[in-house]
Amino acid sequence: MFVIHLLVKNIKMKYIIAITLLCSLLSACDQNAKKQISAAADNSDIDALKASPENFKLLLENDHVRVLEYTLKPGTKDQTHTHPPKSSYIVTGGKLKVNLENGDTLIFDEKAGTASWMDHVGKHYVENIGTTEIKIILTEVKPITNK
């Protein structure tokens, strides 16, 4: 009886481990696409606000952060730019195609009400390939300076 109990316990443990690994893998796959954007081919930064003033609007700036409102109408694209580490909040979602400097493209179906974090984002430009206007609030983190 004790041997059967150990076998059942061992099988349950294997299922728990398998499910945990599967959940971790699915989560990692979702984050992997966003991490690809962070890989920059070179380190020269292009300010999004200066590159695409028609798409980015300055809402707040201080010594710590810069908050931008990003708007992209259906069928339009912005200009090549970069971002420092930032959080994003999707106000109105839609389908985006992110074009990376190395020629790769990534498709995102952004959902309203979701938030995400990304480290430095290398050179890219974005196209709205959906049918809705997309609006995102970006909070870019400034480097810490000793004053």
Side-chain angles (χ1 to χ4, degrees):
M1 187 67 153
F2 180 71
V3 173
I4 293 173
H5 175 72
L6 285 178
L7 287 173
V8 170
K9 187 175 179 181
N10 191 20
I11 291 171
K12 285 182 183 178
M13 186 57 77
K14 286 181 181 178
Y15 280 119
I16 291 170
I17 291 170
I19 290 170
T20 302
L21 288 173
L22 179 61
C23 290
S24 296
L25 178 63
L26 291 173
S27 176
C29 288
D30 181 51
Q31 291 299 315
N32 190 39
K34 298 219 177 194
K35 284 182 183 178
Q36 284 183 33
I37 296 174
S38 296
D42 73 46
N43 293 331
S44 59
D45 289 326
I46 302 170
D47 186 336
L49 186 59
K50 291 178 182 173
S52 292
E54 62 281 357
N55 302 105
F56 292 91
K57 176 182 170 187
L58 182 63
L59 300 178
L60 169 88
E61 185 166 19
N62 62 30
D63 292 340
H64 307 286
V65 296
R66 181 171 78 164
V67 180
L68 302 171
E69 178 183 77
Y70 175 67
T71 306
L72 197 59
K73 295 182 185 310
T76 63
K77 60 184 174 181
D78 58 25
Q79 301 301 311
T80 299
H81 60 279
T82 61
H83 296 284
K86 67 179 176 65
S87 68
S88 300
Y89 177 78
I90 311 301
V91 178
T92 56
K95 198 165 193 173
L96 293 175
K97 180 179 180 182
V98 180
N99 301 277
L100 305 177
E101 182 180 28
N102 67 4
D104 289 349
T105 59
L106 303 168
I107 306 293
F108 294 100
D109 190 10
E110 300 289 12
K111 302 289 185 206
T114 60
S116 64
W117 170 262
M118 294 184 77
D119 287 323
H120 180 270
V121 179
K123 291 180 184 175
H124 67 285
Y125 69 93
V126 180
E127 295 177 74
N128 182 340
I129 59 172
T131 58
T132 59
E133 180 177 88
I134 295 169
K135 187 172 289 191
I136 302 172
I137 303 298
L138 307 171
T139 303
E140 298 179 335
V141 179
K142 293 185 175 183
I144 296 174
T145 59
N146 294 330
K147 291 187 175 185

